[in-house]
Amino acid sequence: MLRLESVEKNQIGVYAAALILGAVMGLLSPAIGMFVEPAISFMIAILLFSMFCQIPFLKLREALSNGRFIGALLLVNFVLTPVLVYILTLVFPQPAPVLLGVCLVLLTPCIDYVIVFTQLGKGNERLILASTPILFVVQVIMLPFYLWLFLGSEAAEMVQVGPFVEAFIFLIIVPLLLALAAQFWAKKSAKSLQLTAWLPVPFMAIVLFVVIASQIGRVYEDLSVIIAVIPIYVLFHIMTPFISRATSAFFRIGPKDGRALIFSAGTRNSLVVLPLALTLPEEMATIAAAVIVTQTVIELIAELVYIRIVPNLIYRD
């Protein structure tokens, strides 16, 4: 009999298979990519709903009372990470549409599958779960400021507020409200949340498949752009664990919480911001989407490395 523990234990293999299958299908048959692309937002919404159902929104006391962790989390994600991204984009300058994609993906901390990787890396996944609403609210507030800071007046010309708001409502607010309703209902029937616990792994695989299958062609067509941003992403994923480790030491955070901080800093909101990038004017959307998808692929590889070296080398007990 298939058990939830078995599914979660083998999820990395499932995700890797979804990535490979999506890449092969997208390159061999562009028509498949065009067919599944409209499903990206809907599948991400279902994925986020299933993840939000596991987040204790009604019990935020643990996160709100852990002042050291919250302070470190906010410092790393909304001060130190933007500084790192700014330095990397100075060393590897990019044209405005590419820079926009880089900013969208690197300046927004993940609020979904970071929970999965934190657990696999022996971090405090419950603390990350409880901290997710805080990360979400702060990044929504800070993202327009970051875009103005990095892109100046060009950001206003490239980014339309309307589609961004619509995407956030559909991808975040609606799944969040449905998840809250499910949590209230679970007080009467615990089986309702038990069912949603089965959804994250298969829908993560589906999302990875549809994203890669629909976008891999853009990556292939914009290969010169992709090659230019790869050093930024690789250095980002190399440096963030050590920045987070130093921050943990400064705040005197324990190993399990420190690992959670490392995974939060190294995991970005690529699957959420991709639909936002697709709302840009056509040529900009193509470039920004290719840049974001490239980060997703590199990040997933980095996560497989993180779950090995973070608990065994960077932050041991």
Side-chain angles (χ1 to χ4, degrees), residues 59-274:
K59 298 178 181 180
L60 291 179
R61 184 176 301 175
E62 179 186 4
L64 295 176
S65 62
N66 193 331
R68 288 184 180 179
F69 179 80
I70 294 300
L73 187 74
L74 294 176
L75 177 65
V76 166
N77 278 301
F78 300 108
V79 178
L80 300 182
T81 294
V83 170
L84 174 62
V85 174
Y86 181 74
I87 293 172
L88 290 174
T89 53
L90 281 181
V91 177
F92 302 98
Q94 305 295 327
V98 177
L99 181 59
L100 176 60
V102 170
C103 290
L104 281 174
V105 72
L106 291 187
L107 297 176
T108 50
C110 183
I111 57 172
D112 41 72
Y113 61 80
V114 63
I115 302 160
V116 174
F117 291 119
T118 300
Q119 183 181 38
L120 291 174
K122 299 181 181 179
N124 190 338
E125 76 278 4
R126 293 185 179 181
L127 196 52
I128 287 292
L129 278 170
S131 303
T132 301
I134 299 172
L135 286 176
F136 163 63
V137 171
V138 177
Q139 70 180 268
V140 170
I141 294 172
M142 294 300 295
L143 183 58
F145 170 73
Y146 289 144
L147 293 179
W148 170 81
L149 192 64
F150 278 74
L151 294 160
S153 59
E154 294 182 48
E157 298 174 3
M158 289 187 292
V159 180
Q160 298 180 9
V161 176
F164 271 61
V165 173
E166 292 174 9
F168 269 116
I169 290 174
F170 178 72
L171 292 175
I172 303 295
I173 301 301
V174 172
L176 175 61
L177 293 176
L178 291 175
L180 287 172
Q183 289 187 19
F184 277 115
W185 179 255
K187 292 182 177 181
K188 299 179 180 180
S189 174
K191 290 184 179 180
S192 60
L193 283 187
Q194 292 175 2
L195 177 61
T196 62
W198 285 85
L199 299 180
V201 174
F203 272 95
M204 175 71 80
I206 292 172
V207 166
L208 292 174
F209 171 80
V210 297
V211 167
I212 297 300
S214 62
Q215 306 302 320
I216 192 68
R218 292 174 175 172
V219 173
Y220 183 76
E221 291 174 1
D222 294 295
L223 203 56
S224 60
V225 172
I226 298 312
I227 292 174
V229 298
I230 286 177
I232 294 176
Y233 294 149
V234 172
L235 288 172
F236 178 87
H237 288 293
I238 290 174
M239 298 178 73
T240 49
F242 297 100
I243 292 173
S244 303
R245 181 65 178 87
T247 305
S248 297
F250 178 79
F251 280 85
R252 290 180 290 178
I253 293 174
K256 197 167 185 179
D257 294 357
R259 294 180 200 128
L261 183 65
I262 290 172
F263 278 95
S264 179
T267 313
R268 302 288 91 187
N269 226 4
S270 54
L271 297 182
V272 174
V273 298
L274 179 60

